[in-house]
Amino acid sequence: MTIGEWIDGRVRPVPVEFRPHLSVGGPVSPDGLLAAAERKFTDCAVDSPRDRGAAFSLLAADACVTYACTLAMTEDADASTLRGAARRVAHGWWDSLP
């Protein structure tokens, strides 16, 4: 199953206007969702702060992180998995900014 298929199968659907911003590829997994969030975060950093697209990229990054944590919890991941995700978000992304 792909990330997009997993997102589309959620009980609470993503608003139609926002769904294109979550068009990310790859297999669904916490790691895959975090990688998608990283890409969206980088897109946000590249966009002009006055461009509305930057806000949507940041919201999409946030959604992917939330989905990654949700998926980890539903897969009965232990606390170290969630701590690793938090570390990855807090420390890894800033170094990749242009």
Side-chain angles (χ1 to χ4, degrees), residues 37-69:
E38 288 170 339
R39 290 190 301 274
K40 291 297 182 177
F41 184 76
T42 301
D43 290 348
C44 178
V46 171
D47 291 338
S48 166
R50 294 186 176 158
D51 181 1
R52 190 174 200 160
F56 285 120
S57 294
L58 186 58
L59 287 170
D62 176 67
C64 288
V65 170
T66 300
Y67 285 146
C69 293

Side-chain angles (χ1 to χ4, degrees), residues 49-98:
R50 294 186 176 158
D51 181 1
R52 190 174 200 160
F56 285 120
S57 294
L58 186 58
L59 287 170
D62 176 67
C64 288
V65 170
T66 300
Y67 285 146
C69 293
T70 300
L71 184 59
M73 289 172 40
T74 60
E75 291 181 341
D76 294 327
D78 59 20
S80 66
T81 301
L82 293 175
R83 278 194 298 273
R87 268 191 228 99
R88 184 172 172 178
V89 171
H91 299 291
W93 298 0
W94 304 111
D95 296 335
S96 67
L97 293 177

